[in-house]
Amino acid sequence: SDARAEYNLVHANPRAIGFDAVRVSRPALRSGRATLRRGRPRSLRAGSRVCNCVCKERHMTVEKKDIDWGSLGFGYMKTDYSYEAHWKDGEWDEGGLTTDHTLHVSECGGIFHYCQEVFEGLKAYTAEDGSIVCFRPDMNAERMYNSAQRLEMPPFPKDKFVEAVKRVVSANAAWVPPFGSGATLYVRPFMIGSGDVIGVAPAPEYTFRILVTPVGPYFKGGLKPVKLRVSEYDRAAPHGTGNIKAGLNYAMSLKPTMEAHREGYAENLYLDSESRTYVEETGGANVLFVKEDGTLVVPQSHTDSILPSITRRSLVQVAQDLGMTVDQRPVEWAEVKAGTFVECGLCGTAAVISPVGEIDNKVYGADETVTFPAGYTEIGPVMKKLRETLTGIQSGAVEDKHDWVYTVA
């Protein structure tokens, strides 16, 4: 049809026709089809493939991607569009969608020499009513803003961040897994120092980008309780960068993570580097505990070394809404090994909540194994309730009392 030919033309050559976003109607999502709004062409920056057009009201049908959604792992798959913006001479440009999934950065780019990089992670979902939604992108915007300031990078404006997320998710609506599939569209905004710099200094130019990719569960076992080990390494220095989301924090966790995997563990549990007394977090998630009386205990860092997880803060609010007692405080490892807690879980965007059944501590001559009786063979009742409630809010099955869910399409 003419509509199909025009759609193909957009994907083959984004200069050929103006587009802003794929708009998905609820019936279309349920039937596995989406619609693409099309409008008059708008200019592109010379030499780029970034579109800055404003679309009108004509619609055409777009097929959902032919993917076995239920078999997806947590990996990268190229989609149709990314988003890109540039900072130079003290300001951010307009930014826009691009079909080029390659970054073009000089060998002297600041990212390669002084690690100026921050990133975020959030997800887009197909809700129960067929709409496409994102969960609390304003919080990701805030955290990335703070992370950039800590590394002397120009923060990306928060309102533009949210709008960019909406645009790139809408443009990739055909890649958003259907409701009930267990898969989601992972959204990865990041910013790098892209300008040339040879001396130790902030880069003169920066690139902000958002990629999206459909993903399945973060841990292969799904909701099967995982096994952790206490790491002999430190994750972050006291009052350092442990409270921001920067690649440099994760690079230093790769060696202990791979060692843990080779020994049969899913992750490392890090203690505070100052005293090795307090529980902090794992390489990729915050930690939650549950006492026998149902109290949710949330570890805090007295050295400000724990990443302020958006999922964790949301779960704390959910627990309070459910009438649970929530205790946010520093948690000593001694409490954990004494059997104070009956459930343990890891929380973050990727896994939401992943139950922990056992933690081993074999460092510095210790030989300790801690099990969590209410969540050893399967997810415990408190973690299960929290997870079901939060994912229900995200999908639209549970009332969103706090306006956390942003409708994209």
Side-chain angles (χ1 to χ4, degrees), residues 15 68 83 98 107 112 128 153 226 229 231 238 274 303-304 316 323 343 346 350 400 403:
R15 297 176 186 270
D68 183 0
Y83 179 94
T98 176
E107 62 186 355
F112 301 128
E128 193 170 22
M153 302 171 74
V226 298
R229 68 165 193 173
S231 178
E274 186 174 68
T303 59
D304 197 19
V316 165
E343 291 183 51
L346 307 182
D400 177 17
D403 294 326

PDB file of all heavy atoms in Angstrom, residues 15 68 83 98 107 112 128 153 226 229 231 238 274 303-304 316 323 343 346 350 400 403:
ATOM      1  N   ARG A  15      15.868  11.093   5.880  1.00  0.00           N
ATOM      2  CA  ARG A  15      15.816  12.425   5.295  1.00  0.00           C
ATOM      3  C   ARG A  15      14.635  12.560   4.340  1.00  0.00           C
ATOM      4  O   ARG A  15      14.211  13.665   4.024  1.00  0.00           O
ATOM      5  CB  ARG A  15      17.096  12.717   4.508  1.00  0.00           C
ATOM      6  CG  ARG A  15      18.367  12.746   5.347  1.00  0.00           C
ATOM      7  CD  ARG A  15      19.565  12.958   4.419  1.00  0.00           C
ATOM      8  NE  ARG A  15      20.806  12.863   5.160  1.00  0.00           N
ATOM      9  CZ  ARG A  15      21.407  13.881   5.745  1.00  0.00           C
ATOM     10  NH1 ARG A  15      20.849  15.060   5.682  1.00  0.00           N
ATOM     11  NH2 ARG A  15      22.537  13.723   6.399  1.00  0.00           N
ATOM     12  N   ASP A  68      10.435 -13.506  19.369  1.00  0.00           N
ATOM     13  CA  ASP A  68       9.949 -14.400  20.414  1.00  0.00           C
ATOM     14  C   ASP A  68      10.192 -13.699  21.748  1.00  0.00           C
ATOM     15  O   ASP A  68      11.214 -13.885  22.402  1.00  0.00           O
ATOM     16  CB  ASP A  68      10.699 -15.735  20.360  1.00  0.00           C
ATOM     17  CG  ASP A  68      10.193 -16.741  21.388  1.00  0.00           C
ATOM     18  OD1 ASP A  68       9.251 -16.397  22.145  1.00  0.00           O
ATOM     19  OD2 ASP A  68      10.742 -17.860  21.445  1.00  0.00           O
ATOM     20  N   TYR A  83      18.472   8.424  20.109  1.00  0.00           N
ATOM     21  CA  TYR A  83      18.359   9.882  20.254  1.00  0.00           C
ATOM     22  C   TYR A  83      19.742  10.440  20.540  1.00  0.00           C
ATOM     23  O   TYR A  83      20.533   9.817  21.258  1.00  0.00           O
ATOM     24  CB  TYR A  83      17.415  10.228  21.411  1.00  0.00           C
ATOM     25  CG  TYR A  83      17.253  11.722  21.650  1.00  0.00           C
ATOM     26  CD1 TYR A  83      16.214  12.430  21.062  1.00  0.00           C
ATOM     27  CD2 TYR A  83      18.158  12.420  22.464  1.00  0.00           C
ATOM     28  CE1 TYR A  83      16.069  13.801  21.278  1.00  0.00           C
ATOM     29  CE2 TYR A  83      18.021  13.785  22.680  1.00  0.00           C
ATOM     30  CZ  TYR A  83      16.978  14.468  22.077  1.00  0.00           C
ATOM     31  OH  TYR A  83      16.847  15.822  22.279  1.00  0.00           O
ATOM     32  N   THR A  98      17.875   9.557  15.534  1.00  0.00           N
ATOM     33  CA  THR A  98      18.850   9.157  14.540  1.00  0.00           C
ATOM     34  C   THR A  98      18.743   7.659  14.269  1.00  0.00           C
ATOM     35  O   THR A  98      18.404   6.878  15.169  1.00  0.00           O
ATOM     36  CB  THR A  98      20.284   9.500  14.984  1.00  0.00           C
ATOM     37  OG1 THR A  98      21.229   9.000  14.022  1.00  0.00           O
ATOM     38  CG2 THR A  98      20.608   8.884  16.343  1.00  0.00           C
ATOM     39  N   GLU A 107      39.890  10.105  18.703  1.00  0.00           N
ATOM     40  CA  GLU A 107      40.742   9.287  19.558  1.00  0.00           C
ATOM     41  C   GLU A 107      41.206  10.056  20.799  1.00  0.00           C
ATOM     42  O   GLU A 107      41.657   9.466  21.781  1.00  0.00           O
ATOM     43  CB  GLU A 107      41.977   8.822  18.784  1.00  0.00           C
ATOM     44  CG  GLU A 107      42.871   9.968  18.310  1.00  0.00           C
ATOM     45  CD  GLU A 107      44.016   9.498  17.428  1.00  0.00           C
ATOM     46  OE1 GLU A 107      44.157   8.266  17.269  1.00  0.00           O
ATOM     47  OE2 GLU A 107      44.753  10.351  16.896  1.00  0.00           O
ATOM     48  N   PHE A 112      37.786   8.648  26.625  1.00  0.00           N
ATOM     49  CA  PHE A 112      38.803   7.602  26.537  1.00  0.00           C
ATOM     50  C   PHE A 112      39.958   7.804  27.508  1.00  0.00           C
ATOM     51  O   PHE A 112      40.694   6.864  27.805  1.00  0.00           O
ATOM     52  CB  PHE A 112      39.358   7.535  25.113  1.00  0.00           C
ATOM     53  CG  PHE A 112      38.317   7.253  24.076  1.00  0.00           C
ATOM     54  CD1 PHE A 112      38.187   8.070  22.965  1.00  0.00           C
ATOM     55  CD2 PHE A 112      37.447   6.184  24.201  1.00  0.00           C
ATOM     56  CE1 PHE A 112      37.220   7.822  22.000  1.00  0.00           C
ATOM     57  CE2 PHE A 112      36.477   5.927  23.249  1.00  0.00           C
ATOM     58  CZ  PHE A 112      36.364   6.748  22.143  1.00  0.00           C
ATOM     59  N   GLU A 128      -1.502  -2.708  30.693  1.00  0.00           N
ATOM     60  CA  GLU A 128      -2.624  -3.636  30.521  1.00  0.00           C
ATOM     61  C   GLU A 128      -3.665  -3.088  29.547  1.00  0.00           C
ATOM     62  O   GLU A 128      -4.328  -3.846  28.847  1.00  0.00           O
ATOM     63  CB  GLU A 128      -3.256  -3.928  31.881  1.00  0.00           C
ATOM     64  CG  GLU A 128      -4.226  -5.096  31.878  1.00  0.00           C
ATOM     65  CD  GLU A 128      -4.635  -5.499  33.281  1.00  0.00           C
ATOM     66  OE1 GLU A 128      -4.534  -4.673  34.208  1.00  0.00           O
ATOM     67  OE2 GLU A 128      -5.071  -6.650  33.455  1.00  0.00           O
ATOM     68  N   MET A 153      30.502  17.703  34.375  1.00  0.00           N
ATOM     69  CA  MET A 153      29.935  17.616  33.036  1.00  0.00           C
ATOM     70  C   MET A 153      28.702  18.517  32.976  1.00  0.00           C
ATOM     71  O   MET A 153      28.037  18.707  33.994  1.00  0.00           O
ATOM     72  CB  MET A 153      29.544  16.170  32.713  1.00  0.00           C
ATOM     73  CG  MET A 153      30.692  15.174  32.810  1.00  0.00           C
ATOM     74  SD  MET A 153      30.159  13.437  32.684  1.00  0.00           S
ATOM     75  CE  MET A 153      29.807  13.311  30.935  1.00  0.00           C
ATOM     76  N   VAL A 226      18.744 -16.175  44.282  1.00  0.00           N
ATOM     77  CA  VAL A 226      20.138 -16.236  43.850  1.00  0.00           C
ATOM     78  C   VAL A 226      21.049 -16.322  45.066  1.00  0.00           C
ATOM     79  O   VAL A 226      20.636 -16.110  46.208  1.00  0.00           O
ATOM     80  CB  VAL A 226      20.508 -15.006  42.996  1.00  0.00           C
ATOM     81  CG1 VAL A 226      19.662 -14.964  41.733  1.00  0.00           C
ATOM     82  CG2 VAL A 226      20.364 -13.707  43.793  1.00  0.00           C
ATOM     83  N   ARG A 229      28.016 -13.655  47.379  1.00  0.00           N
ATOM     84  CA  ARG A 229      29.181 -13.805  48.253  1.00  0.00           C
ATOM     85  C   ARG A 229      29.629 -12.419  48.701  1.00  0.00           C
ATOM     86  O   ARG A 229      29.482 -11.438  47.970  1.00  0.00           O
ATOM     87  CB  ARG A 229      30.334 -14.503  47.538  1.00  0.00           C
ATOM     88  CG  ARG A 229      30.947 -13.665  46.427  1.00  0.00           C
ATOM     89  CD  ARG A 229      32.287 -14.190  45.959  1.00  0.00           C
ATOM     90  NE  ARG A 229      32.975 -13.192  45.128  1.00  0.00           N
ATOM     91  CZ  ARG A 229      34.215 -13.313  44.690  1.00  0.00           C
ATOM     92  NH1 ARG A 229      34.923 -14.401  44.963  1.00  0.00           N
ATOM     93  NH2 ARG A 229      34.771 -12.346  43.972  1.00  0.00           N
ATOM     94  N   SER A 231      32.287  -9.740  49.038  1.00  0.00           N
ATOM     95  CA  SER A 231      33.479  -9.528  48.224  1.00  0.00           C
ATOM     96  C   SER A 231      34.651  -9.044  49.069  1.00  0.00           C
ATOM     97  O   SER A 231      34.492  -8.280  50.020  1.00  0.00           O
ATOM     98  CB  SER A 231      33.182  -8.493  47.133  1.00  0.00           C
ATOM     99  OG  SER A 231      34.352  -8.240  46.370  1.00  0.00           O
ATOM    100  N   PRO A 238      34.838   5.961  50.559  1.00  0.00           N
ATOM    101  CA  PRO A 238      33.964   6.831  51.353  1.00  0.00           C
ATOM    102  C   PRO A 238      33.941   8.247  50.777  1.00  0.00           C
ATOM    103  O   PRO A 238      34.981   8.811  50.447  1.00  0.00           O
ATOM    104  CB  PRO A 238      34.625   6.814  52.740  1.00  0.00           C
ATOM    105  CG  PRO A 238      35.404   5.530  52.782  1.00  0.00           C
ATOM    106  CD  PRO A 238      35.885   5.322  51.386  1.00  0.00           C
ATOM    107  N   GLU A 274      35.311   1.692  54.456  1.00  0.00           N
ATOM    108  CA  GLU A 274      35.954   2.367  55.583  1.00  0.00           C
ATOM    109  C   GLU A 274      36.204   1.414  56.749  1.00  0.00           C
ATOM    110  O   GLU A 274      37.297   1.377  57.319  1.00  0.00           O
ATOM    111  CB  GLU A 274      35.092   3.534  56.040  1.00  0.00           C
ATOM    112  CG  GLU A 274      35.733   4.392  57.110  1.00  0.00           C
ATOM    113  CD  GLU A 274      34.889   5.619  57.416  1.00  0.00           C
ATOM    114  OE1 GLU A 274      33.784   5.469  57.978  1.00  0.00           O
ATOM    115  OE2 GLU A 274      35.334   6.727  57.066  1.00  0.00           O
ATOM    116  N   THR A 303      28.673   6.818  54.800  1.00  0.00           N
ATOM    117  CA  THR A 303      29.699   7.508  54.010  1.00  0.00           C
ATOM    118  C   THR A 303      29.166   7.943  52.648  1.00  0.00           C
ATOM    119  O   THR A 303      29.941   8.330  51.774  1.00  0.00           O
ATOM    120  CB  THR A 303      30.933   6.604  53.807  1.00  0.00           C
ATOM    121  OG1 THR A 303      30.534   5.393  53.142  1.00  0.00           O
ATOM    122  CG2 THR A 303      31.586   6.261  55.134  1.00  0.00           C
ATOM    123  N   ASP A 304      27.854   7.856  52.455  1.00  0.00           N
ATOM    124  CA  ASP A 304      27.199   8.290  51.214  1.00  0.00           C
ATOM    125  C   ASP A 304      27.792   7.573  50.001  1.00  0.00           C
ATOM    126  O   ASP A 304      28.148   8.196  49.006  1.00  0.00           O
ATOM    127  CB  ASP A 304      27.324   9.806  51.045  1.00  0.00           C
ATOM    128  CG  ASP A 304      26.337  10.354  50.018  1.00  0.00           C
ATOM    129  OD1 ASP A 304      25.349   9.661  49.707  1.00  0.00           O
ATOM    130  OD2 ASP A 304      26.556  11.479  49.516  1.00  0.00           O
ATOM    131  N   VAL A 316      10.156   1.472  48.788  1.00  0.00           N
ATOM    132  CA  VAL A 316       9.955   1.992  50.144  1.00  0.00           C
ATOM    133  C   VAL A 316       8.584   2.656  50.251  1.00  0.00           C
ATOM    134  O   VAL A 316       7.828   2.435  51.209  1.00  0.00           O
ATOM    135  CB  VAL A 316      11.077   2.984  50.516  1.00  0.00           C
ATOM    136  CG1 VAL A 316      10.685   3.796  51.760  1.00  0.00           C
ATOM    137  CG2 VAL A 316      12.385   2.240  50.770  1.00  0.00           C
ATOM    138  N   GLY A 323       1.157  -0.359  54.362  1.00  0.00           N
ATOM    139  CA  GLY A 323       1.075  -0.416  55.819  1.00  0.00           C
ATOM    140  C   GLY A 323       2.238  -1.112  56.487  1.00  0.00           C
ATOM    141  O   GLY A 323       2.189  -1.389  57.696  1.00  0.00           O
ATOM    142  N   GLU A 343      14.171 -12.589  54.990  1.00  0.00           N
ATOM    143  CA  GLU A 343      14.141 -12.422  53.538  1.00  0.00           C
ATOM    144  C   GLU A 343      15.218 -11.417  53.135  1.00  0.00           C
ATOM    145  O   GLU A 343      15.592 -10.537  53.916  1.00  0.00           O
ATOM    146  CB  GLU A 343      12.793 -11.900  53.033  1.00  0.00           C
ATOM    147  CG  GLU A 343      11.640 -12.854  53.141  1.00  0.00           C
ATOM    148  CD  GLU A 343      10.374 -12.258  52.533  1.00  0.00           C
ATOM    149  OE1 GLU A 343      10.434 -11.787  51.366  1.00  0.00           O
ATOM    150  OE2 GLU A 343       9.336 -12.238  53.209  1.00  0.00           O
ATOM    151  N   LEU A 346      17.473  -8.163  46.004  1.00  0.00           N
ATOM    152  CA  LEU A 346      18.196  -7.135  45.265  1.00  0.00           C
ATOM    153  C   LEU A 346      17.179  -6.350  44.456  1.00  0.00           C
ATOM    154  O   LEU A 346      16.284  -6.942  43.842  1.00  0.00           O
ATOM    155  CB  LEU A 346      19.225  -7.753  44.330  1.00  0.00           C
ATOM    156  CG  LEU A 346      20.219  -8.746  44.939  1.00  0.00           C
ATOM    157  CD1 LEU A 346      21.194  -9.236  43.877  1.00  0.00           C
ATOM    158  CD2 LEU A 346      20.955  -8.122  46.117  1.00  0.00           C
ATOM    159  N   ALA A 350      16.666  -3.155  36.316  1.00  0.00           N
ATOM    160  CA  ALA A 350      16.754  -4.347  35.476  1.00  0.00           C
ATOM    161  C   ALA A 350      15.972  -5.519  36.059  1.00  0.00           C
ATOM    162  O   ALA A 350      15.234  -6.209  35.359  1.00  0.00           O
ATOM    163  CB  ALA A 350      18.211  -4.735  35.265  1.00  0.00           C
ATOM    164  N   ASP A 400      -2.027   3.929  40.390  1.00  0.00           N
ATOM    165  CA  ASP A 400      -0.820   4.748  40.495  1.00  0.00           C
ATOM    166  C   ASP A 400      -1.140   5.970  41.351  1.00  0.00           C
ATOM    167  O   ASP A 400      -1.540   7.019  40.849  1.00  0.00           O
ATOM    168  CB  ASP A 400      -0.354   5.159  39.092  1.00  0.00           C
ATOM    169  CG  ASP A 400       0.852   6.078  39.120  1.00  0.00           C
ATOM    170  OD1 ASP A 400       1.523   6.149  40.176  1.00  0.00           O
ATOM    171  OD2 ASP A 400       1.132   6.720  38.091  1.00  0.00           O
ATOM    172  N   ASP A 403       1.410   9.254  40.698  1.00  0.00           N
ATOM    173  CA  ASP A 403       1.682   9.762  39.345  1.00  0.00           C
ATOM    174  C   ASP A 403       3.094   9.425  38.894  1.00  0.00           C
ATOM    175  O   ASP A 403       3.829  10.271  38.367  1.00  0.00           O
ATOM    176  CB  ASP A 403       1.463  11.282  39.301  1.00  0.00           C
ATOM    177  CG  ASP A 403       0.011  11.668  39.519  1.00  0.00           C
ATOM    178  OD1 ASP A 403      -0.874  10.905  39.086  1.00  0.00           O
ATOM    179  OD2 ASP A 403      -0.237  12.714  40.148  1.00  0.00           O
TER     180      ASP A 403
END
